[in-house]
Amino acid sequence: MKKFSFELQKVLEYREFEQKQAETELAKVLAQEAQINQDLQTIAEQKVANNSQIKGHVEFDAMMAHSQYTNLLDYQKEVLLKQLAELQLVIEEKRAVLTECMEKTLALQKLKEKQLNEWKSAARHESNKFLNEVGSQGYYRKNFN
């Protein structure tokens, strides 16, 4: 019996390649999200540290520097939150693309598995048929010759 071959193997390989690319793109965007979250955490820590440093100071220059630094941190936080919101939209798009690629790949993999099982069944049937013929010939030779 001939070797199993899946006619859509090249398509399956292409779909798997697309899926890997989609996974890579999603991972890059998730890494950006993690970086923004880390930057937000850093800003929060800086704000807490700045607030603890100003306690006990009554000097006008120190109060103004504290206020300006707090305003800068708030502005940076707002910029990062805006970037994070935009990034969330991109993440959802990338997830949708990845889900679609996975569905297409899975459908082809199931088709390949089904065809392979059918091929194995046919191969078993052919093998059993051949063994039955060989056994029958031996039986006839032994008993009728």
Side-chain angles (χ1 to χ4, degrees):
M1 182 151 201
K2 69 178 186 172
K3 182 179 166 186
F4 174 75
S5 68
F6 183 58
E7 293 119 15
L8 299 174
Q9 184 63 37
K10 295 233 186 241
V11 176
L12 177 60
E13 290 170 0
Y14 177 72
R15 294 279 166 84
E16 288 171 342
F17 174 75
E18 280 182 328
Q19 181 178 337
K20 286 179 185 173
Q21 274 190 319
E23 288 170 351
T24 302
E25 290 176 17
L26 179 60
K28 287 178 184 177
V29 176
L30 289 174
Q32 290 175 351
E33 178 189 34
Q35 182 60 49
I36 289 174
N37 284 328
Q38 181 63 38
D39 292 345
L40 286 169
Q41 181 67 31
T42 302
I43 287 173
E45 290 169 359
Q46 289 173 345
K47 201 169 187 179
V48 168
N50 188 39
N51 287 338
S52 66
Q53 286 177 351
I54 196 64
K55 289 183 180 176
H57 286 283
V58 289
E59 299 169 3
F60 180 75
D61 291 340
M63 297 294 277
M64 282 302 289
H66 167 72
S67 176
Q68 288 176 342
Y69 188 62
T70 301
N71 289 342
L72 174 67
L73 291 176
D74 287 340
Y75 175 76
Q76 289 176 343
K77 181 179 93 175
E78 291 300 319
V79 168
L80 288 173
L81 288 174
K82 183 180 176 185
Q83 289 176 355
L84 187 60
E86 292 170 356
L87 202 55
Q88 290 294 332
L89 296 174
V90 174
I91 288 172
E92 290 306 313
E93 290 174 9
K94 299 293 183 184
R95 280 194 176 126
V97 168
L98 178 59
T99 301
E100 183 180 336
C101 288
M102 290 173 73
E103 288 172 356
K104 289 178 181 179
T105 302
L106 184 61
L108 281 174
Q109 287 172 339
K110 285 184 178 181
L111 180 62
K112 180 180 180 179
E113 185 177 314
K114 181 181 174 187
Q115 287 182 3
L116 180 62
N117 288 337
E118 289 172 358
W119 178 83
K120 285 179 180 178
S121 177
R124 251 185 265 114
H125 179 70
E126 282 291 317
S127 176
N128 288 341
K129 185 177 172 183
F130 175 74
L131 291 174
N132 285 341
E133 287 177 9
V134 169
S136 295
Q137 288 175 357
Y139 176 77
Y140 284 122
R141 262 189 243 135
K142 187 195 273 183
N143 291 327
F144 297 112
N145 286 337

